[in-house]
Amino acid sequence: MPELPEVETIVRELGPKLQEKKIISVQIFCPRICVDKGKLTDLKVKSVFRRGKYVLISFYNTKMHLMAHMGMTGKLIFHTGQKERKHLRCSIDFISAAAVNSAASSTCAGDSVDFGAEILQGNSVDTVTRLYFVDQRKFGRMEIIDDFDTYFS
């Protein structure tokens, strides 16, 4: 199980890379460990912080938080170019606000922009940040908490 300094290191690494980015897709490979993906799509990251050994990601315009606990062997890893990762439990794709604004301004009114398709085609790889939750022993978890204050009180 990661100790507090390791969790703090994770938070300090995630914060600058995820702040102000928008979640465009979530893939869950182990529903017992990871969150309901429908609630996360289109949320913009406000901050990344920790509470004890929990890593929390807060979002704008909602009290909802994404909470991750590493368990014994869990890791949060940024995409390294590998197509498949062993013990992958969840994958979350983020896109920068600048890319969202650029795509929105280049489309006609009423057109929708499918960022997921762009990722698959490789057109906007430089603007996409992919975060993996890898957990060999399945003791970690990622879940949505609806109200931070109530959960931790």
Side-chain angles (χ1 to χ4, degrees):
M1 181 174 294
E3 298 299 327
L4 283 177
E6 294 166 313
V7 175
E8 183 63 29
T9 300
I10 292 168
V11 168
R12 288 182 184 185
E13 182 180 329
L14 286 178
K17 291 181 180 178
L18 297 183
Q19 197 164 12
E20 303 297 322
K21 293 200 175 185
K22 185 177 182 180
I23 295 176
I24 54 172
S25 70
V26 178
Q27 291 181 309
I28 296 174
F29 304 104
C30 187
R32 184 175 62 89
I33 292 174
C34 294
V35 299
D36 173 22
K37 64 180 181 176
K39 292 184 178 182
L40 291 176
T41 307
D42 294 329
L43 293 178
K44 187 176 175 184
V45 176
K46 183 176 181 181
S47 66
V48 180
F49 61 101
R50 74 169 179 82
R51 176 77 177 248
K53 292 186 180 183
Y54 293 95
V55 176
L56 293 135
I57 300 174
S58 66
F59 303 100
Y60 286 103
N61 302 324
T62 182
K63 289 181 128 185
M64 194 168 45
H65 289 71
L66 176 62
M67 180 180 69
H69 191 281
M70 303 303 117
M72 290 182 68
T73 58
K75 296 175 185 169
L76 291 168
I77 301 171
F78 284 102
H79 180 58
T80 58
Q82 295 175 325
K83 296 205 182 227
E84 306 242 346
R85 287 206 64 95
K86 199 170 183 180
H87 311 297
L88 180 61
R89 307 299 175 211
C90 180
S91 172
I92 304 174
D93 292 330
F94 297 85
I95 194 163
S96 66
V100 172
N101 294 338
S102 167
S105 65
S106 66
T107 60
C108 298
D111 288 349
S112 63
V113 179
D114 183 6
F115 292 110
E118 289 185 52
I119 293 167
L120 294 175
Q121 295 169 2
N123 294 334
S124 62
V125 171
D126 58 330
T127 60
V128 174
T129 301
R130 181 166 288 157
L131 183 66
Y132 291 142
F133 181 64
V134 178
D135 189 9
Q136 179 180 0
R137 298 189 67 191
K138 297 184 181 179
F139 291 138
R141 67 179 183 269
M142 288 184 83
E143 61 184 275
I144 295 172
I145 55 173
D146 291 320
D147 189 358
F148 174 82
D149 297 325
T150 304
Y151 189 87
F152 283 103
S153 61

